[in-house]
Amino acid sequence: MVRRALLLFLFVLTTPLLGHAQEQSFSRMDVFDLEWVERPRISPNGNHVVYERRGMDVMADRRTSHLWIVDTDGTEHEKLTTREANESSPRWSPDGRKIAFTSSSAEHGTEIYLHWVDSGKTARLTQLEHAPSGLSWAPDGEHLAFSAHVSQPEPKLVSPPTAPEGADWAEPPRVETRLNHEADGAGVLKHGFDHLFVVPVEGGRARQITSGNYHHSSRPVWTPDGEALLFSANRHDNWRRERRNSEIYRVALDSGESTALTDRFGPAHTPRVSPDGETIAYLGYQDEVQTYQVTSLRVMNRDGTNRRTVETGLDRSIQSLAWDEDGEGLYLKYTDEGTTKLAHTRLQGSATPVAEDIGGTSIGRPYGGGSFSVSNAGRLAFNQTAPSHPGELAITRRGQETRQVTDLNGDLLDHRRLGQVEEIRYTSSADGREIHGWVVTPPNFDPERTYPLMVEIHGGPISNYGPRFSAELQLYAANDYVVFYPNARGSTSYGEEFGNLLYNDFSGGEYQDIIDGVDRLVERDYVAADSLYVTGGSAGGTSAAWIVGKTDRFRAAAVQKPVTNWISKTLAADNYYGYHDYRYPGQPWENPMEYWEVSPVSLLGSINTPTVVIVGGADLRTPPWQAKQLYNGLKLRDVEAAYVEIPGASHFIAQRPSQLIAKVDHVLAWFDRYR
């Protein structure tokens, strides 16, 4: 009897604690338990989907990727192979009996592998010098095409003396002669060019198809007769300086001769051949040399004649496409007012909706993304997101309801209270335009309380946020902040005219849009008008720095990986050569004041807001010396400031999960000092 009473007492004592554990808010270590679907590929018969199951390894502090396969009704969900190495980019063979994919290991590097569906066996197909990308099956299933790098010798200006045997001399100098010579996340680019290859699926040597000192890095597409590949590249004489220009080419497999099928100045990419081989659809636009232009759907005959634009009526950039099951139209992916959607269009034009909320692969912040594939009979597989979960696998068919097939995060997020996401629209006092954004309230939101307001600004600025899952925003909300994330002018998904409003006007043009949103929110009883904070990353960090140079309303700012000086940015960052004329008029030495007057450091004399500046130590896009210019200037003026450098991190600080957490922790710690 005593024992039963003791057990009952312990049960009553612990039940509230168990309930609290089951309903706790999203916390920083939960980041390691998130999983999401990337690159879902539906089988030709529409019965199965293979996809990349992405996650985080808490011990290695790395993102992981393994291939999983599931029936389209949600059954038979299992890992594709028994391998533990990262796997990605799955592609079904035309008969659906094999799956090609790439995988990386310490022993072999990145190679192409084949998996036989019936037997369950997997084998390595290639032994390449450099990593392959863009796998593409031949129509008869006998070959795979792909792109890979071909090395060339590094330039040298001298012949150094030979070191004595056993001597320990320093590394020789590195000589650079290229316009484009480094990239964020990759470092110094390897010398050489990317080319297209073809390899037999029964094994053998990969044969190089393209030639010449040009980059052929796009995914190749086979013609239905199997005699040629289509690809996007720039093989013009001035290709090095034509940053956005490209054409669609056809290369014959027997001769290796490349023929241009387009000739318009501007990008032309993502070719897709109709099932009958008579029509090529692709994406692009006529380059008008401005900050933003909408990418349109184009079609042409197989020989490049009769090129024309398909009038979809969207005024939105088409991001990807696929021919439909009868070859009479195309499926399109695009983003509309922050929501990524699928639509279908006939060649005569006029798109009709098929599905929405595509994406959920950004994880850190609520950016777009996502992908889809279509079976021979018109069944569609894609990743679908919501503010409450990252990308899950979904299935639909034109004219039918969408079904979510996976629930990778139910074991975690079903037991977490998340901040609720609310849409907000308001009018900009700058010119009366409607501005769109979202508000995240704390998980235990009480409308009778008042909360500090955090403004979180997206990067780009040619990009967008939307109603998508965001680990970082949920962590901010879980710390009792109301979080406001707007799509100010210059954001994509609102049409070409809106997206181009920052032409020659960034930073600065977006300022009033953001402040008007703050004014709208402080009218709400639960927002504390005297407790405002601002942050953002990349272009969002630039905007945050600009904002505190224009107003003292914010208690504190966290400026993440910013551009603070457009003159030095456009002369020394990895993409230094891509801004003149497209973003600002002329080169910085031709129009220095045009660059200086939109640089946040020009406002240093007006900044009084306590500011932490956060940057990756290996960031080549907005390097540490950009962040230090702001920090050093604030210290010279005796403004409260801190400088946080994330060791080894590129511009994508959140690539390693612990560094995503570190970034959020430092933002919160700085803001909490001034609450």
Side-chain angles (χ1 to χ4, degrees), residues 361-528:
T361 60
S362 179
I363 305 303
R365 296 193 280 164
Y367 286 113
S371 58
F372 75 98
S373 58
V374 58
S375 73
N376 293 341
R379 181 173 283 172
L380 292 148
F382 56 95
N383 37 15
Q384 189 174 52
T385 188
S388 58
H389 64 80
E392 297 283 358
L393 178 62
I395 301 293
T396 194
R397 193 188 295 270
R398 198 172 3 143
Q400 296 183 6
E401 294 294 321
T402 295
R403 292 183 296 106
Q404 183 178 314
V405 174
T406 61
D407 185 19
L408 304 184
N409 296 281
D411 57 338
L412 170 68
L413 298 180
D414 286 353
H415 306 283
R416 296 292 183 269
R417 289 190 306 271
L418 298 179
Q420 297 301 300
V421 178
E422 168 199 348
E423 182 182 52
I424 181 174
R425 295 178 186 268
Y426 57 93
T427 301
S428 172
S429 62
D431 53 14
R433 296 178 190 275
E434 182 181 76
I435 305 300
H436 190 198
W438 292 265
V439 179
V440 189
T441 51
N444 296 309
F445 177 67
D446 179 357
E448 301 302 317
R449 284 184 55 191
T450 58
Y451 296 88
L453 176 68
M454 182 191 302
V455 182
E456 213 284 352
I457 309 166
H458 72 66
I462 310 305
S463 186
N464 65 80
Y465 275 165
R468 311 169 179 116
F469 180 82
S470 166
E472 294 182 28
L473 301 192
Q474 287 294 336
L475 289 171
Y476 294 145
N479 280 268
D480 266 359
Y481 286 88
V482 171
V483 184
F484 168 49
Y485 62 101
N487 277 343
R489 68 189 58 216
S491 299
T492 55
S493 78
Y494 299 88
E496 183 168 306
E497 192 262 350
F498 188 86
N500 197 45
L501 287 174
L502 294 184
Y503 182 46
N504 295 342
D505 194 21
F506 180 77
S507 295
E510 77 287 1
Y511 169 79
Q512 197 59 51
D513 295 348
I514 297 169
I515 294 299
D516 286 337
V518 173
D519 291 339
R520 177 73 174 272
L521 287 171
V522 298
E523 294 173 357
R524 303 183 178 185
D525 292 339
Y526 62 80
V527 172

Side-chain angles (χ1 to χ4, degrees), residues 102-124:
T102 59
S103 180
S104 302
S105 67
E107 181 181 2
H108 300 295
T110 302
E111 300 287 354
I112 300 174
Y113 289 75
L114 278 182
H115 178 82
W116 284 262
V117 177
D118 292 339
S119 68
K121 294 181 178 180
T122 303
R124 180 165 58 91

